């Protein structure tokens, strides 16, 4: 999967700030620091619920059965059987490019 997001587009405003996150094309994108982004599949590997980023613990949490993943997508606790698929996310100017690894 490859796609780009224009960060000048208001629809993508959530990831113009550190700690912001959004889901696009089934990928959870998190702006960690400066121009460093995490991009992980937004679909829990347990039963397919949509995961979300919790800045307070800097983890990815699934609301359905409490699965928790770290910022690399690895399972920390709960029922998920495997890691979230990770993507690369690279910022060039105002364009964020998300690609399969
Ligand atoms: Fe995510 Fe069950 S679907 S923990």
């Amino acid at each position: 999967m490859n796609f780009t997001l224009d960060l000048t587009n208001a629809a993508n405003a959530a990831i113009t700030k550190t700690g912001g996150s959004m889901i696009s094309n089934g990928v959870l994108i998190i702006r960690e620091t400066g121009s460093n982004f995490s991009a992980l599949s937004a679909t829990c590997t347990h039963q397919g619920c949509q995961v979300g980023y919790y800045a307070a613990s800097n983890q990815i949490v699934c609301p359905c059965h409490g699965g928790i993943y770290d910022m690399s997508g690895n399972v920390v606790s709960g029922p998920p059987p495997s890691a979230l698929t990770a993507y690369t996310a690279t910022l060039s100017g105002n364009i964020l490019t998300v690609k399969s690894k």
Side-chain angles (χ1 to χ4, degrees), residues 5-77:
L5 298 174
D6 182 346
L7 299 197
T8 64
N9 184 327
N12 302 324
I15 54 170
T16 59
K17 292 176 290 211
T18 297
S21 65
M22 64 179 285
I23 292 173
S24 179
N25 296 285
V27 178
L28 173 62
I29 301 160
I30 303 150
R31 188 162 195 156
E32 295 197 82
T33 56
S35 58
N36 291 331
F37 291 80
S38 273
L40 300 165
S41 168
T43 304
C44 184
T45 59
H46 179 221
Q47 290 181 3
C49 289
Q50 183 170 286
V51 300
Y53 173 59
Y54 281 78
S57 58
N58 203 40
Q59 291 175 317
I60 314 301
V61 176
C62 178
C64 289
H65 314 102
I68 298 177
Y69 303 86
D70 67 17
M71 294 300 287
S72 299
N74 298 309
V75 179
V76 174
S77 63

Side-chain angles (χ1 to χ4, degrees), residues 79-97:
S82 57
L84 298 170
T85 300
Y87 299 85
T88 60
T90 309
L91 188 64
S92 178
N94 289 312
I95 304 298
L96 183 71
T97 300

